[in-house]
Amino acid sequence: MADVFQDDKIFVGKSTKPQYLTLRLANRHGLVTGATGTGKTVTLQVLAEGFSRAGVPVFASDVKGDLSGVAAAGEKKDFLVKRATDVGFKYEIDEFPVVFWDLFGEQGHPIRTTVFEMGPLLLSRMLDLNDVQEGVINIAFRFADDEFGSADAENKGLVDLKDLRELLTYLSANSREIGAKYGNVSASTVGSVQRQLLVLENQGGAKFFGEPALSIRDFMRTDRDGRGNINILSSDKLMENPQLYATFLLWLLSELFEELPEVGDLDKPKLVFFFDEAHLLFNDAPKALLEKVEQVVRLIRSKGVGIYFVTQNPLDVPEKVLSQLGNRIQHALRAFTPRDQKAVRAAAETFRPNPKLDTTKVITELGKGEALVSFLEGNGTPSMVERALICPPAARIGPVSPAERKAVIAKSPVRGKYDEVVDPESAYEILQKRIHQATEEKEPAPEPSAPGSGGGWGDVLGGVLGGGSSRGKSRRMSTSEVVVKQVARSVASQVGRNLAGRSCAAFWAASAAVGRRIAVP
């Protein structure tokens, strides 16, 4: 058997000759397409294993859970051994260094970012906001930059959704002052945005925002043997909210573009990124977002990053993005509908023609594990399309068990770094302090009591006869004071009757009686 594994290439399969993906050209991006059940996930695993062997870290979203098997050694099953023999090498099982990630922190290490790092454009996309609502989000970010910029140079006070909620409430309550400087902020628009935030929180999206925030460098690790780590994002639950899934991947791509330095063309990529279910990135995306994706895909090559889109249909990817994808693997497509037939023709036309191959016809005839392949070669020109049999992966095909996943997480190189949430002082705490201070300034100070007033018998009598201090009214009387008050009322009634029907002498006699009764202990 020939040694098909080489240092500068990834062996993908065999047609009339071995088919290789050249590492030097791997950052020119790629596309893996095909109908459900035609072998896209296995092909993705073969590519991930090849990059890992070459010392290139990989990030891939695992929508169905099947890709997690790359963390476990494969099995020498008969069909795998036969496939290896058919493509020209002796089958050997292997396993690879894997780091599991999960936005919800359930099947891997949590991934977080701050609200400010997400930015108003992607956040508005995540919340599915209209133009007016997006305008309010832009005002909130600008206000945070101006007001909290000195508090934290990185997050500008906007760490989690609690901070954004509090800031929006503050903008609404101070809309007149805010509007004069930044633009109109209506209470109804703020309320609409708050409701969308509530929907995001109910879907678990709030767990994505907070600290410690993800460091992109943790995706770019190698193990002690020099193999690149395969970072797998558990996306089965995330797929229940496609908007969150798509926005997260776009944010990750933007972070790579912004943080990594320019390196030009390297002998191999610094990181390779696989977008599974790529059509979700582009569905109903606004023009500004599509332009950003196109820009990042075009320019991130110079950062040493390769991007590979995995989807069912090449029509899922916009033409301007599709034109940037030089390495192609096309599994079978079914032509049952007019749209399917159009997709088949479009897929065939994207390949460099091979006079010996009817590409349009072959696409519908490919079996499971077969694909049409065309990789960049020489000076970056695509090779003629070939019908190839994809080689089998060396690791397990299928998911790992929960116990195996737990064991991998326990020995992870980032174990403990992201597991606990940190809640720093940010917009919520700062604005709460402002509100508290403003409330204290508005409350009048209590008036001091008059000299000599001590809440004694004079206050009690004053309360009975209609006078007395305000302090005496606000405090609770003792038992003896209650008794005295009742006696005073009785005597006062007697005095009133004497005034009405007796002489002055009788009045003074009654008054003396009052004094004697009050003096009784």
Side-chain angles (χ1 to χ4, degrees):
M1 296 289 178
D3 183 12
V4 294
F5 297 102
Q6 301 182 22
D7 293 338
D8 61 341
K9 300 177 181 178
I10 296 175
F11 177 61
V12 178
K14 182 181 179 182
S15 56
T16 56
K17 60 181 181 180
Q19 293 292 325
Y20 292 98
L21 172 61
T22 304
L23 287 172
R24 182 175 58 84
L25 299 170
N27 65 336
R28 304 294 178 90
H29 313 316
L31 178 68
V32 180
T33 54
T36 300
T38 56
K40 294 192 304 297
T41 301
V42 172
T43 297
L44 194 160
Q45 183 171 335
V46 168
L47 293 173
E49 291 179 2
F51 282 118
S52 179
R53 286 193 190 97
V56 178
V58 170
F59 177 90
S61 55
D62 188 14
V63 173
K64 296 176 291 186
D66 294 346
L67 193 58
S68 63
V70 73
E75 300 173 292
K76 285 192 174 182
K77 295 182 178 180
D78 292 342
F79 76 95
L80 296 175
V81 174
K82 182 178 184 305
R83 173 71 63 84
T85 302
D86 290 343
V87 298
F89 73 99
K90 182 179 179 181
Y91 184 68
E92 297 291 343
I93 62 173
D94 203 350
E95 60 182 300
F96 297 84
V98 169
V99 180
F100 288 115
W101 301 88
D102 184 359
L103 250 66
F104 305 102
E106 297 172 358
Q107 300 186 70
H109 302 293
I111 294 181
R112 303 184 195 90
T113 187
T114 65
V115 170
F116 194 85
E117 284 296 325
M118 171 64 71
L121 177 63
L122 290 180
L123 185 63
S124 298
R125 157 76 165 164
M126 182 181 291
L127 298 175
D128 197 21
L129 303 182
N130 60 34
D131 291 343
V132 176
Q133 295 163 345
E134 184 177 346
V136 170
I137 291 293
N138 276 284
I139 290 174
F141 273 74
R142 180 61 183 273
F143 181 86
D145 196 10
D146 292 344
E147 292 290 315
F148 312 131
S150 60
D152 191 314
E154 294 181 358
N155 62 50
K156 302 294 190 276
L158 291 179
V159 175
D160 51 26
L161 293 188
K162 170 169 54 70
D163 293 320
L164 183 58
R165 277 192 175 282
E166 187 68 20
L167 178 54
L168 289 171
T169 301
Y170 182 85
L171 296 180
S172 180
N174 299 273
S175 58
R176 180 173 298 180
E177 296 82 357
I178 299 297
K181 183 176 181 181
Y182 298 97
N184 184 45
V185 179
S186 70
S188 60
T189 304
V190 170
S192 300
V193 176
Q194 294 278 33
R195 287 192 293 273
Q196 291 300 98
L197 286 173
L198 182 61
V199 171
L200 180 62
E201 289 174 349
N202 289 341
Q203 294 172 340
K207 294 182 178 180
F208 177 43
F209 297 101
E211 289 189 344
L214 174 71
S215 170
I216 293 297
R217 301 289 176 179
D218 284 329
F219 283 164
M220 307 177 72
R221 294 172 178 262
T222 56
D223 69 357
R224 66 183 64 182
D225 298 322
R227 289 189 170 192
N229 282 350
I230 300 176
N231 300 276
I232 296 180
L233 174 69
S234 299
S235 305
D236 49 349
K237 185 176 179 180
L238 187 58
M239 285 298 295
E240 295 174 6
N241 182 6
Q243 196 88 346
L244 178 60
Y245 172 76
T247 308
F248 162 73
L249 292 181
L250 288 175
W251 164 79
L252 203 52
L253 194 60
S254 299
E255 285 294 292
L256 288 169
F257 178 69
E258 292 173 5
E259 289 195 18
L260 298 181
E262 294 278 344
V263 294
D265 288 325
L266 303 174
D267 291 336
K268 60 184 180 182
K270 297 176 66 175
L271 176 69
V272 171
F273 207 92
F274 288 96
F275 281 95
D276 201 3
E277 300 294 341
H279 65 281
L280 296 175
L281 301 175
F282 308 107
N283 284 354
D284 303 320
K287 182 180 179 181
L289 199 59
L290 289 177
E291 290 175 350
K292 183 176 179 65
V293 175
E294 179 193 348
Q295 177 194 38
V296 171
V297 171
R298 186 175 68 252
L299 300 178
I300 203 170
R301 176 182 66 83
S302 63
K303 307 291 183 92
V305 177
I307 301 171
Y308 288 73
F309 294 96
V310 183
T311 189
Q312 294 189 16
N313 195 318
L315 294 180
D316 295 334
V317 183
E319 287 188 11
K320 290 184 177 179
V321 176
L322 197 62
S323 64
Q324 305 293 324
L325 312 180
N327 299 295
R328 305 285 182 90
I329 301 177
Q330 174 68 63
H331 288 274
L333 289 176
R334 309 307 176 200
F336 299 130
T337 68
R339 186 179 187 277
D340 293 339
Q341 294 168 5
K342 181 180 178 181
V344 169
R345 290 193 298 270
E349 290 170 359
T350 60
F351 287 104
R352 178 182 170 186
N354 184 342
K356 299 179 181 180
L357 201 67
D358 185 347
T359 309
T360 304
K361 181 180 178 182
V362 170
I363 288 178
T364 61
E365 297 175 345
L366 293 170
K368 187 175 182 179
E370 284 188 299
L372 293 174
V373 299
S374 175
F375 299 120
L376 297 178
E377 59 184 9
N379 294 322
T381 58
S383 62
M384 286 192 299
V385 62
E386 297 279 359
R387 182 174 184 170
L389 189 63
I390 304 300
C391 75
R396 181 187 302 175
I397 298 176
V400 295
S401 67
E404 290 173 319
R405 182 185 292 269
K406 187 175 180 180
V408 172
I409 295 172
K411 61 182 183 181
S412 167
V414 295
R415 183 182 71 249
K417 182 174 181 179
Y418 299 104
D419 297 341
E420 297 297 328
V421 181
V422 177
D423 188 11
E425 182 178 67
S426 48
Y428 178 82
E429 290 79 13
I430 295 171
L431 293 176
Q432 282 288 314
K433 286 181 181 179
R434 288 188 185 182
I435 294 171
H436 183 67
Q437 291 171 356
T439 303
E440 286 185 341
E441 291 174 359
K442 289 181 180 179
E443 290 181 353
E447 295 181 1
S449 302
S453 63
W457 301 121
D459 286 341
V460 176
L461 285 176
V464 174
L465 299 177
S469 67
S470 61
R471 188 179 66 177
K473 293 180 182 179
S474 63
R475 69 182 182 88
R476 187 174 181 180
M477 292 183 293
S478 66
T479 304
S480 60
E481 289 175 328
V482 172
V483 173
V484 170
K485 185 173 182 179
Q486 292 173 343
V487 172
R489 283 177 176 171
S490 176
V491 174
S493 298
Q494 181 180 351
V495 170
R497 288 194 297 271
N498 286 335
L499 285 173
R502 296 186 181 181
S503 64
C504 290
F507 167 72
W508 290 114
S511 298
V514 171
R516 288 193 301 274
R517 293 179 70 176
I518 292 176
V520 176

